[in-house]
Amino acid sequence: MVNLVQNIVLATIILVFALLEIRSRKHEHFHATADDTKLELFMFLALLAVSQPFIFGVTGKLSELAMPGQRGAWAHLPWWAMGAILLVADDMTQYWWHRISHSPLLWPLHRAHHTAHYMSIRITYRNNFFYYLMMPGLWASGVLIYLGFGNVYLVYIVVKLTVILGAHSAVPWDAPLYRVKWLHPLAWVLERTISTPATHWAHHALTNDDGIGHYKGNFGNLLFVWDLLFGTAKITRRYPAKVGLQDDLVFGKERWFVEMFYPLFHSRRAHSALVPGGRAYAETEVDADAKRELDTAVSKT
């Protein structure tokens, strides 16, 4: 029931953001490939129809075995206490999961999220299939739902998904906060509390050289507070000119099924993190010809 209601509400939120993107005509500049569309659609469906129901089902069964008779045992807690526990058990753990997913070991499971060369709500769940199956926050949430957090979780996840979709949206809803002087105090609070387009687009930037991009930070999902607390925050109130990965410009994009199902499928590219022993691209590791090709590709995007 939790999963069904969540999906209905999620579909409504997505529809609202989609209409905003269409009305703004931002979608006309995506130039998404067929592989982009397949990866985003199939991962979205896989998360809602497979991964999350599977995790919640397994955690429910395991909790029943490990804590028999404890179903709903924490349902007496006030809503604010449940919300605080969820922020730590789900959102903070997701911050750390996201952060360590930028390490060489786990990067192949998160790389797909950064291969889009556009920002849009459609890339929100663009990841490797196993990325979500291994996400600690989903497993913790499943246990908490068993303990009686179901109703509060529905409200929490609606708020969280609204913020996350807004942070990825092609329409930078926070821009007016920076333009209108009397809104600056509100902007100061919001950008230090939740993820916004300005802070999250910086995380997706093609380069850090423009002083805006911040690939090694701004990992927060719902709360940006974690970035401030753990020293990974960068706030510029500006948006990067380009997003995506440099190695895709040099070597060509990976196939959608490789990005989604690695390590079951491996890349055939000359240089790729999606092969056993492969490493994330670094400009210093390619020859001068490849570097010139990258510079040319960036200038054309």
Side-chain angles (χ1 to χ4, degrees):
M1 179 60 68
V2 169
N3 194 62
L4 175 61
V5 175
Q6 173 201 294
N7 291 350
I8 293 173
V9 175
L10 174 58
T12 303
I13 297 171
I14 289 175
L15 179 61
V16 171
F17 276 110
L19 291 175
L20 289 175
E21 289 191 358
I22 293 172
R23 183 178 180 182
S24 71
R25 307 183 74 87
K26 297 283 188 179
H27 66 289
E28 296 177 357
H29 305 289
F30 290 170
H31 303 299
T33 66
D35 272 21
D36 286 324
T37 301
K38 290 176 182 177
L39 175 62
E40 291 156 2
L41 176 61
F42 293 151
M43 266 309 307
F44 176 69
L45 295 176
L47 175 61
L48 295 188
V50 179
S51 302
Q52 190 180 64
F54 171 78
I55 291 172
F56 284 178
V58 170
T59 52
K61 294 294 184 182
L62 292 178
S63 296
E64 186 68 47
L65 292 173
M67 301 178 289
Q70 293 299 303
R71 184 181 296 274
W74 290 6
H76 66 282
L77 293 176
W79 66 266
W80 55 265
M82 292 187 185
I85 292 171
L86 282 166
L87 284 173
V88 173
D90 174 70
D91 198 54
M92 189 186 75
T93 60
Q94 190 171 351
Y95 163 88
W96 282 105
W97 177 241
H98 186 187
R99 183 169 174 174
I100 65 174
S101 293
H102 279 256
S103 66
L105 178 63
L106 293 176
W107 173 243
L109 301 186
H110 182 56
R111 182 187 182 279
H113 189 64
H114 286 267
T115 57
H117 48 271
Y118 46 84
M119 294 302 296
S120 168
I121 60 168
R122 58 184 283 171
I123 76 168
T124 304
Y125 298 107
R126 177 180 173 135
N127 266 300
N128 181 280
F129 178 75
F130 301 104
Y131 179 81
Y132 290 111
L133 280 180
M134 298 169 61
M135 183 177 287
L138 287 176
W139 292 90
S141 295
V143 174
L144 292 173
I145 289 172
Y146 171 81
L147 291 172
F149 282 45
N151 291 333
V152 171
Y153 180 79
L154 280 175
V155 177
Y156 164 80
I157 204 64
V158 167
V159 173
K160 179 171 181 173
L161 293 176
T162 301
V163 171
I164 295 174
L165 287 165
H168 288 90
S169 174
V171 181
W173 59 263
D174 54 342
L177 302 179
Y178 311 137
R179 290 197 303 266
V180 182
K181 188 173 182 179
W182 65 270
L183 290 176
H184 285 183
L186 177 61
W188 190 94
V189 173
L190 281 179
E191 67 193 359
R192 286 164 174 78
T193 305
I194 63 173
S195 293
T196 63
T199 54
H200 197 68
W201 287 23
H203 177 69
H204 283 258
L206 184 67
T207 178
N208 291 340
D209 295 340
D210 59 1
I212 302 173
H214 192 43
Y215 168 78
K216 288 294 186 180
N218 293 12
F219 296 111
N221 288 271
L222 167 56
L223 295 185
F224 192 73
V225 170
W226 309 125
D227 285 285
L228 292 171
L229 182 62
F230 299 118
T232 54
K234 182 174 183 178
I235 300 174
T236 66
R237 297 189 176 184
R238 294 184 293 164
Y239 309 91
K242 300 178 179 67
V243 297
L245 295 181
Q246 296 185 2
D247 58 317
D248 280 358
L249 297 178
V250 176
F251 304 104
K253 293 178 69 67
E254 303 278 14
R255 294 305 311 275
W256 72 270
F257 53 87
V258 176
E259 292 193 90
M260 182 171 176
F261 291 114
Y262 177 85
L264 301 183
F265 295 95
H266 297 162
S267 174
R268 295 185 177 181
R269 278 187 1 185
H271 186 295
S272 175
L274 301 182
V275 294
R279 292 185 298 169
Y281 169 81
E283 288 186 42
T284 56
E285 297 175 358
V286 300
D287 57 27
D289 290 337
K291 181 63 167 63
R292 283 193 294 271
E293 184 177 350
L294 170 63
D295 293 338
T296 301
V298 171
S299 65
K300 290 181 178 179
T301 56

